Amino acid sequence: MLELEIDGKKLEVPEGSTIMDATNKLGTYVPHFCYHKKLSIAANCRMCLVQVEKAPKPLPACATPVTAGMKVFTHSAPAVQAQKGVMEFLLINHPLDCPICDQGGECQLQDLAVGYGGSASRYTEAKRVVFNKNLGPLISTDMTRCIHCTRCVRFGQEIAGIMELGMAGRGEHAEILSFVGRTVDSELSGNVIDICPVGALTSKPFRYSARTWELWRRKSVSPHCGFGSNLIVQIKTNRVMRVVPLETDDLNECWLSDKDRFSYEGLNSAKRLSKPLMKRDGHWVEVEWQTALEHVANELNRIKTAHGAGAIGALATPHSTLEELHLLAKLTRGLGSENVDFRLRQSDFSTDGKTRGAPWLGMKIADLSTLDRVLVVGSFLRKDHPLIAHRLRQIARRRAHINLLHAADDDPLMPVANKAIVAPELIAGALLAIARAAAESKSMAVPSLAQGATVTDAARKMAESMLSGKSTAVLLGNLAQQVGNAAAVHAAAQTLAGVLGARFGFLGEAANSVGGYLAGAVPGAQGMNARRMFEEPRKAYLLLNAEVEFDCQDPALAIRGLDQAELVVAFTAFADRVADYASVMLPIAPFTETSGTFVNTEGRAQSFNGVVQPLGDTRPGWKVLRVLGNLLGLPGFDFDSSETVRDQVLAADIAGRLSNEIDAAATTPSAKPADGLRRIADVPIHFADALARHAEPLQQTRDAAAPKAWMPSSVLQSVGVAAGARVKVKQGSAEAELEAALDDTLPANCVRVAAGHPATAGLGAMFGAISVERA
């Protein structure tokens, strides 16, 4: 620790700290633009000049290291004179357009100009003009306002992992540019809007829609990936106008993914359902809530009487709130059925009844930053978990080893120590090969499950990498949880973690991937899982926030099952997708219009309140389910608030209900790839849930482009087409016409076709057999 004095106040800071670190610790504000606590030091704006005793001239606080006995003066006459001089230079070319600037009212330059700027400018020459750039549908540019702080450039390099913006030119001719003909397409791109200290980069969807001082601010929680990012939702006249991050160091820090930031546009979609609808004689008719709910209750009783309670099935997405999931499960069981499930994209349910708790990350999210060796298995990491990818990117920059075992070779935008790309059904075997190599390297007994594994060079290298660390983890991504032999992957990963002495966890797919288990939204011993409910069609389905053609493992199978039902009740916020197969549509509120709880992938329960009034006759989902339970005469539906529902679900300690352990001996991994062509499916980042699918700006991004049929050159040759040609991909009787594309990094006999997209919504299983032919 070093002792120094700032403005007459003594304090101690760690060796290597800068003057800016010391002033922040003391609570003394030093004006700055280019400095940002999460970015590297650039020291190019010079606004943070301070006086240091015995120094011949003012020094930048952000870049000057502290020395023992140093005396700093942040507001002395020389310091203030230097700061005012810098401000005068910054304002020389800055346009006087504050009245029409979206940054007005929350602009650092505007604020500091009041304290350090002059009342008039001495500059009489013509100001520079910089032409705007098209950075895509999310970021609006007014580059004449740019003060060259380079925060956006450093953000891309250090946080997003890709240099999409750079500076060209010198002096006042310098410009921030994207690469020729390119937009900014990172899944974290919207953060440059927050870190830009002036109005050069602003939100394109929000542009000219409201002033910051007109907005009310409310805390909330993201309903998308399992991270549980904390949000500030900004509203005006009962309409969500903007979403920005709520800084939370042990979760999302000060960042948001673009999906978290811009999905609010879906709240204002023209496809929102605002009144209950019933299908009569093939036509949709608006009805009152009482009529709709009484009809549903009567039909459920009729079907129960005629076919038994087992003829009723309930399906939900893990983006639903904890309260909604619990009441859906409670209602289904109250009717006498155990057919309830929220794991719509899962295909292997053989671990049901063999687990000791809800699968979770296995550690705190903040603990990811302490790891030095990580094996990520079966994850489209950047797109499925953008902020977990960011945390791993930061430890990779500090020389941690990131190892990847996957079925596709997507660029994670971080240094990778080792990677292996194998067919999905071979992932379990590859994990056991690493486990055997690690056990042999440690001279310990090889676990029985791994004794038949064949050790490859890649497996040995990964084992050596993982064994060389002190803090290690094995993490299973979405693909690893969705493949047809997910139980074998689970058992193999658990075995490997045991050999390594590593932490073992799951990267939760959605906001309530953990909460769904706690809420009891999984089938009982006599119940059917999501796949069986479609393979053996039920007479009645209750769908909570589910658009089955996008949210299910096998959309074609799901649609066939629903088509055979007598009653399909859709609890939904959007009317367009489910209208094809529902018989009743009940408008329930999205996360901004209701209260609820999400339990994130680390097992943290985060409750939130509605921030605007529900649209039209929309009602909170938990209230609709409670009233339906009352109409059915079921006991235990006397809740008067979402908090009472939450307290019932979380009465027992969450930590004691989380576990990733299963009986590994009960699984057998595949030893060879399956015959014929096999599909590999990712879910595009902006199609993972209904709210993002209805957010127009997100649907205009590069990530929302129509999917292609990616295949290695051997498959292209066998089909007899070249990259760019149109092909038909078929799964049973389901088919889709797509553009063929070359990807020689894919495993042999594998075709990558995205799921969850309108172009592929009619296909079959995400990891099933597939055929390709010339269109």
Side-chain angles (χ1 to χ4, degrees):
M1 301 293 288
L2 300 176
E3 186 178 278
L4 74 157
E5 185 179 295
I6 296 178
D7 296 333
K9 301 174 183 177
K10 292 186 177 180
L11 75 156
E12 289 187 342
V13 294
E15 188 174 359
S17 299
T18 64
I19 294 175
M20 187 71 83
D21 295 330
T23 58
N24 288 341
K25 182 176 181 180
L26 194 61
T28 299
Y29 180 74
V30 175
H32 60 272
F33 292 112
C34 68
Y35 169 79
H36 190 283
K37 63 183 178 180
K38 296 294 184 182
L39 302 177
S40 62
I41 295 168
N44 55 12
C45 78
R46 318 307 285 183
M47 191 64 209
C48 65
L49 292 174
V50 294
Q51 181 187 1
V52 178
E53 187 180 59
K54 298 181 181 179
K57 58 184 179 180
L59 300 176
C62 67
T64 304
V66 167
T67 58
M70 174 184 277
K71 290 188 177 182
V72 179
F73 306 93
T74 64
H75 294 89
S76 64
V80 172
Q81 182 183 7
Q83 292 159 0
K84 287 186 173 181
V86 170
M87 177 57 70
E88 183 174 20
F89 276 109
L90 288 174
L91 292 176
I92 277 177
N93 276 313
H94 198 80
L96 295 174
D97 62 352
C98 295
I100 62 160
C101 177
D102 257 3
Q103 195 83 351
E106 53 186 3
C107 174
Q108 279 183 257
L109 184 65
Q110 200 176 46
D111 294 341
L112 293 179
V114 173
Y116 297 92
S119 59
S121 174
R122 296 184 287 170
Y123 188 76
T124 59
E125 289 78 9
K127 295 194 174 196
R128 68 166 189 162
V129 174
V130 181
F131 292 107
N132 292 329
K133 285 79 180 171
N134 177 23
L135 300 186
L138 304 179
I139 303 169
S140 181
T141 60
D142 288 279
M143 301 311 293
T144 302
R145 300 170 183 158
C146 178
I147 60 170
H148 306 155
C149 70
T150 69
R151 280 186 181 185
C152 56
V153 176
R154 286 174 284 144
F155 169 84
Q157 292 174 299
E158 299 164 17
I159 306 299
I162 181 170
M163 187 177 177
E164 295 182 291
L165 295 172
M167 180 177 280
R170 292 169 61 87
E172 72 167 16
H173 302 295
E175 292 186 35
I176 299 293
L177 303 167
S178 62
F179 289 96
V180 178
R182 297 294 299 273
T183 54
V184 175
D185 300 311
S186 163
E187 60 281 353
L188 300 174
S189 67
N191 291 291
V192 300
I193 297 166
D194 293 337
I195 63 174
C196 181
V198 295
L201 302 175
T202 55
S203 169
K204 189 170 283 188
F206 176 71
R207 188 173 175 87
Y208 298 147
S209 61
R211 283 301 198 175
T212 180
W213 55 83
E214 299 175 318
L215 301 174
W216 294 83
R217 291 158 174 80
R218 299 288 183 267
K219 296 179 182 179
S220 193
V221 180
S222 168
H224 302 295
C225 70
F227 202 83
S229 296
N230 286 194
L231 313 175
I232 295 289
V233 180
Q234 301 183 351
I235 62 175
K236 177 185 176 184
T237 60
N238 202 49
R239 182 184 175 100
V240 176
M241 306 300 292
R242 185 166 63 167
V243 169
V244 296
L246 172 61
E247 188 167 343
T248 312
D249 277 344
D250 48 357
L251 284 177
N252 53 299
E253 302 173 278
C254 56
W255 313 120
L256 283 182
S257 71
D258 287 351
K259 180 162 64 172
D260 292 337
R261 182 183 299 273
F262 295 107
S263 67
Y264 75 89
E265 285 287 315
L267 300 168
N268 306 318
S269 167
K271 305 296 177 60
R272 278 291 302 272
L273 178 65
S274 60
K275 289 184 177 294
L277 298 178
M278 288 173 50
K279 188 172 284 186
R280 291 175 178 167
D281 299 324
H283 300 285
W284 287 106
V285 179
E286 288 186 3
V287 296
E288 296 299 319
W289 269 104
Q290 187 73 16
T291 303
L293 291 176
E294 287 179 353
H295 172 76
V296 171
N298 291 336
E299 284 295 290
L300 288 173
N301 281 326
R302 179 187 65 78
I303 290 170
K304 177 182 175 181
T305 302
H307 305 285
I312 300 170
L315 297 158
T317 69
H319 301 94
S320 307
T321 67
L322 184 78
E323 293 79 359
E324 292 168 349
L325 290 168
H326 175 66
L327 290 179
L328 179 71
K330 191 178 182 74
L331 186 145
T332 307
R333 292 191 168 97
L335 288 168
S337 173
E338 286 288 338
N339 303 334
V340 57
D341 208 345
F342 76 104
R343 303 161 299 173
L344 303 189
R345 290 198 178 108
Q346 192 167 312
S347 58
D348 183 0
F349 297 91
S350 57
T351 59
D352 282 3
K354 302 173 185 176
T355 57
R356 301 181 184 178
W360 67 301
L361 186 60
M363 68 188 88
K364 296 293 184 184
I365 287 173
D367 291 345
L368 291 170
S369 300
T370 68
L371 300 174
D372 56 15
R373 300 292 184 270
V374 183
L375 173 60
V376 180
V377 182
S379 177
F380 300 96
L381 189 59
R382 282 175 50 209
K383 305 302 181 183
D384 290 343
H385 308 98
L387 291 175
I388 287 179
H390 152 64
R391 285 194 177 258
L392 297 182
R393 189 173 296 120
Q394 298 315 300
I395 64 172
R397 286 167 55 86
R398 300 196 299 266
R399 305 294 180 88
H401 287 194
I402 307 296
N403 297 280
L404 301 179
L405 174 59
H406 196 22
D409 193 15
D410 289 2
D411 186 356
L413 301 180
M414 67 182 77
V416 174
N418 303 282
K419 65 182 175 183
I421 308 301
V422 300
E425 61 270 18
L426 299 185
I427 289 177
L431 283 168
L432 293 177
I434 301 170
R436 179 172 181 175
E440 291 172 350
S441 179
K442 293 177 70 174
S443 300
M444 64 180 285
V446 177
S448 58
L449 201 63
Q451 288 176 0
T454 302
V455 178
T456 61
D457 288 342
R460 190 168 285 108
K461 288 179 181 178
M462 284 195 184
E464 292 171 357
S465 169
M466 296 295 288
L467 288 170
S468 65
K470 295 181 180 179
S471 180
T472 59
V474 178
L475 304 175
L476 298 186
N478 290 0
L479 180 142
Q481 299 169 57
Q482 295 164 355
V483 291
N485 63 337
V489 174
H490 185 165
Q494 177 178 290
T495 301
L496 173 59
V499 172
L500 297 172
R503 302 181 192 187
F504 167 50
F506 290 81
L507 303 177
E509 174 194 2
N512 258 330
S513 292
V514 173
Y517 287 93
L518 303 181
V522 287
Q526 304 302 315
M528 293 184 173
N529 55 52
R531 188 190 67 205
R532 274 193 65 198
M533 277 189 251
F534 292 128
E535 289 176 339
E536 303 171 30
R538 305 294 87 197
K539 296 297 182 180
Y541 289 94
L542 304 177
L543 304 180
L544 178 61
N545 290 314
E547 298 176 343
V548 297
E549 66 271 46
F550 300 135
D551 293 324
C552 287
Q553 163 72 212
D554 190 333
L557 176 67
I559 295 296
R560 286 198 299 271
L562 294 178
D563 286 345
Q564 298 178 53
E566 298 176 12
L567 175 70
V568 178
V569 183
F571 303 84
T572 179
F574 300 96
D576 53 333
R577 311 292 190 191
V578 299
D580 293 337
Y581 43 79
S583 49
V584 180
M585 292 194 291
L586 303 177
I588 63 170
F591 79 107
T592 53
E593 299 170 18
T594 184
S595 55
T597 304
F598 295 131
V599 183
N600 73 357
T601 191
E602 72 172 14
R604 178 188 298 216
Q606 300 187 102
S607 295
F608 56 91
N609 293 314
V611 299
V612 293
Q613 293 296 318
L615 178 70
D617 284 341
T618 297
R619 298 289 182 267
W622 71 268
K623 285 188 177 181
V624 175
L625 289 162
R626 182 203 65 190
V627 173
L628 186 55
N630 292 334
L631 290 174
L632 287 164
L634 304 178
F637 278 82
D638 53 351
F639 303 103
D640 57 6
S641 69
S642 64
E643 287 78 13
T644 56
V645 184
R646 176 199 64 196
D647 293 344
Q648 184 177 94
V649 179
L650 302 182
D653 178 49
I654 292 179
R657 300 160 68 185
L658 306 178
S659 176
N660 295 322
E661 291 187 39
I662 60 167
D663 181 7
T667 62
T668 53
S670 300
K672 63 178 183 177
D675 295 332
L677 295 181
R678 307 295 292 178
R679 180 182 179 187
I680 296 172
D682 60 306
V683 179
I685 182 172
H686 300 322
F687 285 89
D689 62 85
L691 185 57
R693 288 192 286 264
H694 288 87
E696 190 60 32
L698 293 179
Q699 299 308 311
Q700 296 171 5
T701 62
R702 188 181 296 268
D703 279 324
K708 299 180 180 180
W710 297 90
M711 55 196 103
S713 53
S714 58
V715 177
L716 281 173
Q717 291 169 9
S718 67
V719 177
V721 298
R726 303 294 294 180
V727 294
K728 278 187 179 179
V729 293
K730 295 183 177 181
Q731 292 184 279
S733 60
E735 66 177 48
E737 185 175 317
L738 304 171
E739 180 184 328
L742 172 65
D743 184 355
D744 269 327
T745 65
L746 287 171
N749 297 324
C750 287
V751 180
R752 179 175 173 179
V753 178
H757 192 282
T760 58
L763 290 176
M766 292 172 63
F767 298 95
I770 195 169
S771 64
V772 183
E773 61 185 50
R774 184 191 297 271

Short mmCIF file of all heavy atoms in Angstrom, two decimals, residues 367-396:
data_model
loop_
_atom_site.label_atom_id
_atom_site.label_comp_id
_atom_site.label_asym_id
_atom_site.label_seq_id
_atom_site.Cartn_x
_atom_site.Cartn_y
_atom_site.Cartn_z
N ASP A 367 -17.80 -15.69 -9.77
CA ASP A 367 -16.66 -16.60 -9.61
C ASP A 367 -16.06 -17.02 -10.95
O ASP A 367 -14.95 -17.56 -10.99
CB ASP A 367 -17.07 -17.83 -8.82
CG ASP A 367 -17.36 -17.52 -7.36
OD1 ASP A 367 -16.97 -16.42 -6.91
OD2 ASP A 367 -17.97 -18.36 -6.68
N LEU A 368 -16.79 -16.81 -12.05
CA LEU A 368 -16.21 -17.10 -13.37
C LEU A 368 -14.94 -16.30 -13.58
O LEU A 368 -14.01 -16.75 -14.26
CB LEU A 368 -17.22 -16.78 -14.47
CG LEU A 368 -18.46 -17.67 -14.59
CD1 LEU A 368 -19.46 -17.07 -15.57
CD2 LEU A 368 -18.08 -19.07 -15.02
N SER A 369 -14.89 -15.11 -12.99
CA SER A 369 -13.72 -14.24 -13.17
C SER A 369 -12.51 -14.73 -12.40
O SER A 369 -11.41 -14.20 -12.59
CB SER A 369 -14.07 -12.81 -12.74
OG SER A 369 -15.15 -12.31 -13.51
N THR A 370 -12.68 -15.72 -11.52
CA THR A 370 -11.56 -16.24 -10.74
C THR A 370 -10.98 -17.52 -11.33
O THR A 370 -9.98 -18.03 -10.83
CB THR A 370 -12.00 -16.51 -9.29
OG1 THR A 370 -12.93 -17.61 -9.27
CG2 THR A 370 -12.67 -15.28 -8.68
N LEU A 371 -11.61 -18.05 -12.38
CA LEU A 371 -11.14 -19.30 -12.96
C LEU A 371 -9.88 -19.08 -13.79
O LEU A 371 -9.67 -18.02 -14.37
CB LEU A 371 -12.23 -19.90 -13.86
CG LEU A 371 -13.57 -20.24 -13.18
CD1 LEU A 371 -14.59 -20.68 -14.22
CD2 LEU A 371 -13.38 -21.31 -12.11
N ASP A 372 -9.04 -20.11 -13.85
CA ASP A 372 -7.87 -20.02 -14.74
C ASP A 372 -7.86 -21.12 -15.79
O ASP A 372 -7.05 -21.09 -16.71
CB ASP A 372 -6.56 -20.03 -13.94
CG ASP A 372 -6.41 -21.24 -13.04
OD1 ASP A 372 -7.16 -22.22 -13.20
OD2 ASP A 372 -5.53 -21.20 -12.14
N ARG A 373 -8.75 -22.10 -15.68
CA ARG A 373 -8.89 -23.14 -16.69
C ARG A 373 -10.38 -23.46 -16.84
O ARG A 373 -11.06 -23.75 -15.85
CB ARG A 373 -8.14 -24.42 -16.30
CG ARG A 373 -6.63 -24.25 -16.11
CD ARG A 373 -5.92 -23.94 -17.42
NE ARG A 373 -4.48 -23.87 -17.25
CZ ARG A 373 -3.80 -22.77 -16.95
NH1 ARG A 373 -4.47 -21.62 -16.78
NH2 ARG A 373 -2.50 -22.79 -16.83
N VAL A 374 -10.89 -23.43 -18.07
CA VAL A 374 -12.31 -23.66 -18.32
C VAL A 374 -12.46 -24.57 -19.54
O VAL A 374 -11.77 -24.38 -20.55
CB VAL A 374 -13.07 -22.33 -18.57
CG1 VAL A 374 -14.56 -22.61 -18.75
CG2 VAL A 374 -12.85 -21.35 -17.43
N LEU A 375 -13.36 -25.53 -19.43
CA LEU A 375 -13.76 -26.34 -20.58
C LEU A 375 -15.23 -26.05 -20.83
O LEU A 375 -16.09 -26.33 -19.98
CB LEU A 375 -13.55 -27.83 -20.32
CG LEU A 375 -14.10 -28.79 -21.40
CD1 LEU A 375 -13.46 -28.51 -22.75
CD2 LEU A 375 -13.91 -30.24 -20.99
N VAL A 376 -15.54 -25.45 -21.98
CA VAL A 376 -16.92 -25.15 -22.36
C VAL A 376 -17.36 -26.21 -23.36
O VAL A 376 -16.72 -26.39 -24.40
CB VAL A 376 -17.04 -23.74 -22.97
CG1 VAL A 376 -18.48 -23.46 -23.35
CG2 VAL A 376 -16.53 -22.69 -22.00
N VAL A 377 -18.45 -26.89 -23.04
CA VAL A 377 -18.89 -28.04 -23.83
C VAL A 377 -20.23 -27.72 -24.49
O VAL A 377 -21.20 -27.34 -23.82
CB VAL A 377 -19.05 -29.28 -22.93
CG1 VAL A 377 -19.46 -30.49 -23.76
CG2 VAL A 377 -17.76 -29.55 -22.17
N GLY A 378 -20.29 -27.85 -25.82
CA GLY A 378 -21.55 -27.75 -26.54
C GLY A 378 -22.25 -26.43 -26.34
O GLY A 378 -23.41 -26.39 -25.92
N SER A 379 -21.58 -25.33 -26.66
CA SER A 379 -22.20 -24.02 -26.46
C SER A 379 -21.88 -23.09 -27.63
O SER A 379 -20.70 -22.93 -27.99
CB SER A 379 -21.70 -23.38 -25.16
OG SER A 379 -22.25 -22.08 -25.00
N PHE A 380 -22.93 -22.47 -28.19
CA PHE A 380 -22.75 -21.35 -29.11
C PHE A 380 -22.59 -20.12 -28.21
O PHE A 380 -23.50 -19.30 -28.08
CB PHE A 380 -23.96 -21.23 -30.04
CG PHE A 380 -24.20 -22.44 -30.89
CD1 PHE A 380 -25.10 -23.42 -30.51
CD2 PHE A 380 -23.50 -22.63 -32.08
CE1 PHE A 380 -25.33 -24.55 -31.28
CE2 PHE A 380 -23.71 -23.75 -32.87
CZ PHE A 380 -24.62 -24.72 -32.47
N LEU A 381 -21.43 -20.02 -27.60
CA LEU A 381 -21.22 -19.23 -26.40
C LEU A 381 -21.59 -17.76 -26.58
O LEU A 381 -22.34 -17.18 -25.78
CB LEU A 381 -19.76 -19.36 -25.95
CG LEU A 381 -19.39 -18.78 -24.60
CD1 LEU A 381 -20.20 -19.42 -23.49
CD2 LEU A 381 -17.90 -18.97 -24.33
N ARG A 382 -21.08 -17.13 -27.63
CA ARG A 382 -21.31 -15.69 -27.81
C ARG A 382 -22.78 -15.36 -27.98
O ARG A 382 -23.24 -14.33 -27.48
CB ARG A 382 -20.55 -15.19 -29.04
CG ARG A 382 -19.07 -14.98 -28.86
CD ARG A 382 -18.44 -14.60 -30.19
NE ARG A 382 -19.16 -13.52 -30.84
CZ ARG A 382 -19.23 -13.35 -32.16
NH1 ARG A 382 -18.65 -14.21 -32.96
NH2 ARG A 382 -19.89 -12.32 -32.66
N LYS A 383 -23.50 -16.19 -28.69
CA LYS A 383 -24.88 -15.87 -29.00
C LYS A 383 -25.85 -16.38 -27.93
O LYS A 383 -26.88 -15.77 -27.68
CB LYS A 383 -25.27 -16.46 -30.36
CG LYS A 383 -24.35 -16.01 -31.50
CD LYS A 383 -24.32 -14.50 -31.66
CE LYS A 383 -23.42 -14.07 -32.80
NZ LYS A 383 -23.33 -12.60 -32.92
N ASP A 384 -25.53 -17.51 -27.31
CA ASP A 384 -26.42 -18.05 -26.28
C ASP A 384 -26.24 -17.36 -24.94
O ASP A 384 -27.20 -17.19 -24.19
CB ASP A 384 -26.17 -19.56 -26.10
CG ASP A 384 -26.64 -20.38 -27.29
OD1 ASP A 384 -27.43 -19.85 -28.09
OD2 ASP A 384 -26.23 -21.54 -27.41
N HIS A 385 -25.00 -16.96 -24.64
CA HIS A 385 -24.69 -16.38 -23.32
C HIS A 385 -23.69 -15.23 -23.49
O HIS A 385 -22.52 -15.36 -23.13
CB HIS A 385 -24.12 -17.45 -22.38
CG HIS A 385 -24.96 -18.69 -22.30
ND1 HIS A 385 -24.68 -19.82 -23.04
CD2 HIS A 385 -26.08 -18.96 -21.59
CE1 HIS A 385 -25.59 -20.74 -22.76
NE2 HIS A 385 -26.45 -20.25 -21.90
N PRO A 386 -24.13 -14.12 -24.05
CA PRO A 386 -23.18 -13.05 -24.40
C PRO A 386 -22.36 -12.53 -23.22
O PRO A 386 -21.17 -12.25 -23.36
CB PRO A 386 -24.09 -11.95 -24.96
CG PRO A 386 -25.34 -12.63 -25.36
CD PRO A 386 -25.51 -13.78 -24.43
N LEU A 387 -22.98 -12.40 -22.05
CA LEU A 387 -22.26 -11.81 -20.93
C LEU A 387 -21.42 -12.83 -20.18
O LEU A 387 -20.43 -12.46 -19.53
CB LEU A 387 -23.24 -11.11 -19.99
CG LEU A 387 -23.86 -9.84 -20.59
CD1 LEU A 387 -24.90 -9.24 -19.67
CD2 LEU A 387 -22.78 -8.80 -20.91
N ILE A 388 -21.76 -14.10 -20.28
CA ILE A 388 -20.85 -15.13 -19.77
C ILE A 388 -19.63 -15.22 -20.69
O ILE A 388 -18.50 -15.35 -20.23
CB ILE A 388 -21.58 -16.48 -19.65
CG1 ILE A 388 -22.53 -16.44 -18.44
CG2 ILE A 388 -20.58 -17.63 -19.51
CD1 ILE A 388 -23.32 -17.70 -18.22
N ALA A 389 -19.86 -15.11 -22.00
CA ALA A 389 -18.74 -15.07 -22.94
C ALA A 389 -17.83 -13.89 -22.62
O ALA A 389 -16.59 -14.00 -22.69
CB ALA A 389 -19.26 -14.96 -24.37
N HIS A 390 -18.41 -12.75 -22.26
CA HIS A 390 -17.61 -11.57 -21.89
C HIS A 390 -16.73 -11.87 -20.69
O HIS A 390 -15.54 -11.54 -20.66
CB HIS A 390 -18.52 -10.39 -21.61
CG HIS A 390 -17.96 -9.40 -20.65
ND1 HIS A 390 -16.82 -8.66 -20.91
CD2 HIS A 390 -18.36 -9.03 -19.39
CE1 HIS A 390 -16.56 -7.88 -19.87
NE2 HIS A 390 -17.47 -8.10 -18.94
N ARG A 391 -17.29 -12.52 -19.66
CA ARG A 391 -16.49 -12.81 -18.47
C ARG A 391 -15.36 -13.79 -18.79
O ARG A 391 -14.24 -13.64 -18.30
CB ARG A 391 -17.38 -13.37 -17.36
CG ARG A 391 -18.23 -12.27 -16.68
CD ARG A 391 -18.83 -12.76 -15.38
NE ARG A 391 -19.58 -11.70 -14.72
CZ ARG A 391 -19.13 -10.99 -13.70
NH1 ARG A 391 -17.90 -11.21 -13.23
NH2 ARG A 391 -19.88 -10.05 -13.14
N LEU A 392 -15.65 -14.79 -19.62
CA LEU A 392 -14.59 -15.72 -20.02
C LEU A 392 -13.55 -15.03 -20.89
O LEU A 392 -12.36 -15.34 -20.83
CB LEU A 392 -15.21 -16.92 -20.75
CG LEU A 392 -16.16 -17.79 -19.92
CD1 LEU A 392 -16.65 -18.98 -20.75
CD2 LEU A 392 -15.49 -18.29 -18.65
N ARG A 393 -13.99 -14.08 -21.70
CA ARG A 393 -13.07 -13.32 -22.53
C ARG A 393 -12.06 -12.55 -21.67
O ARG A 393 -10.88 -12.45 -21.99
CB ARG A 393 -13.86 -12.38 -23.45
CG ARG A 393 -13.03 -11.68 -24.52
CD ARG A 393 -13.93 -10.91 -25.46
NE ARG A 393 -14.82 -11.79 -26.19
CZ ARG A 393 -16.13 -11.74 -26.15
NH1 ARG A 393 -16.74 -10.82 -25.40
NH2 ARG A 393 -16.86 -12.58 -26.85
N GLN A 394 -12.55 -12.00 -20.57
CA GLN A 394 -11.68 -11.22 -19.69
C GLN A 394 -10.63 -12.10 -19.03
O GLN A 394 -9.46 -11.71 -18.91
CB GLN A 394 -12.50 -10.49 -18.63
CG GLN A 394 -13.50 -9.48 -19.19
CD GLN A 394 -12.91 -8.60 -20.27
OE1 GLN A 394 -11.94 -7.88 -20.03
NE2 GLN A 394 -13.48 -8.65 -21.46
N ILE A 395 -11.00 -13.31 -18.59
CA ILE A 395 -9.98 -14.17 -17.98
C ILE A 395 -9.04 -14.73 -19.03
O ILE A 395 -7.86 -14.97 -18.75
CB ILE A 395 -10.61 -15.30 -17.13
CG1 ILE A 395 -11.43 -16.26 -17.99
CG2 ILE A 395 -11.45 -14.72 -16.00
CD1 ILE A 395 -11.91 -17.49 -17.23
N ALA A 396 -9.53 -14.91 -20.27
CA ALA A 396 -8.64 -15.35 -21.34
C ALA A 396 -7.58 -14.29 -21.64
O ALA A 396 -6.43 -14.60 -21.96
CB ALA A 396 -9.45 -15.68 -22.60
#
